[in-house]
Amino acid sequence: STAMAEMFRAIAQSPKPVLARVQGAAYGGGVGLVAACDIAVATFDAEFALTEAKLGLIPAVISPHVVAAIGERSARRYFLTAERFSAAEAYRMGLLHEMVVDEHALDNALGELLKPLLKNGPLAMRESKELIRAVANKPLTQDVVNDTAMRITRQRASPEGREGMSAFLEKRKPNWIVGN
């Protein structure tokens, strides 16, 4: 269980963007895997279920990721009922970012998502993920204000931040973009 929990944490805290490509059934840990990813796309016919209660178990190691993705209220329903839910319901709850008609469209959608990701500064994306973890579900205290101000100051002063601003002002692509 600890190894599985660490795997989900490693996915969620990966410094790189992690995309979920979902088709077919995603049950139990499969839902946790989708929830741990940064961006999730599924086919319309994908099915989901948090089936642990049917087995006399609980979705413990996936719970931080699933609750963060679908919210406490939806987690109460699906953790307790273990019922299946559709891709449309997963989208409505926030588990999915996008739904597509079939596998071909799934590949196309993920390809389209990769295009903007490949244009972004790698450090900026990593720091953005850290920022989300730092501010999610926290009250807007002076500590949070100070932390966010320090984060942007540090990023602006980084080599990547300086290169990005120079490229913007000089109307050119930053040096981390290869090719077109």
Side-chain angles (χ1 to χ4, degrees):
S1 294
T2 301
M4 183 178 263
E6 288 297 330
M7 178 193 72
F8 286 115
R9 185 172 69 87
I11 292 166
Q13 293 184 349
S14 169
K16 309 261 189 224
V18 181
L19 284 67
R21 181 187 188 278
V22 187
Q23 62 188 60
Y27 296 162
V31 176
L33 184 59
V34 174
C37 292
D38 298 307
I39 302 170
V41 181
T43 57
F44 287 125
D45 61 352
E47 284 189 329
F48 302 84
L50 293 151
T51 56
E52 288 81 355
K54 285 184 179 181
L55 305 172
L57 303 174
I58 60 173
V61 299
I62 64 172
S63 64
H65 311 287
V66 175
V67 172
I70 70 172
E72 181 182 346
R73 188 74 174 153
S74 292
R76 286 177 188 230
R77 175 179 176 169
Y78 292 107
F79 282 16
L80 297 174
T81 65
E83 66 188 296
R84 291 181 185 164
F85 54 95
S86 67
E89 177 67 0
Y91 176 80
R92 186 196 65 74
M93 291 187 293
L95 182 63
L96 298 175
H97 294 95
E98 194 173 331
M99 295 182 300
V100 296
V101 67
D102 59 23
E103 288 182 51
H104 179 72
L106 191 54
D107 291 338
N108 288 340
L110 289 169
E112 288 302 309
L113 283 166
L114 288 174
K115 288 177 185 177
L117 291 172
L118 292 171
K119 293 178 181 178
N120 297 336
L123 177 62
M125 288 190 291
R126 182 180 80 209
E127 292 299 318
S128 291
K129 289 180 71 166
E130 288 292 326
L131 174 64
I132 293 164
R133 282 191 288 278
V135 302
N137 302 310
K138 299 228 171 89
L140 187 56
T141 64
Q142 191 60 50
D143 286 343
V144 170
V145 170
N146 293 345
D147 180 60
T148 58
M150 182 54 67
R151 287 172 187 270
I152 187 60
T153 299
R154 190 172 53 239
Q155 188 65 25
R156 271 192 204 128
S158 74
E160 185 178 282
R162 289 193 315 269
E163 167 61 16
M165 289 305 300
S166 293
F168 173 75
L169 294 171
E170 295 166 13
K171 299 184 186 331
R172 62 174 174 80
K173 292 179 182 175
N175 62 12
W176 60 78
I177 297 179
V178 179
N180 296 1

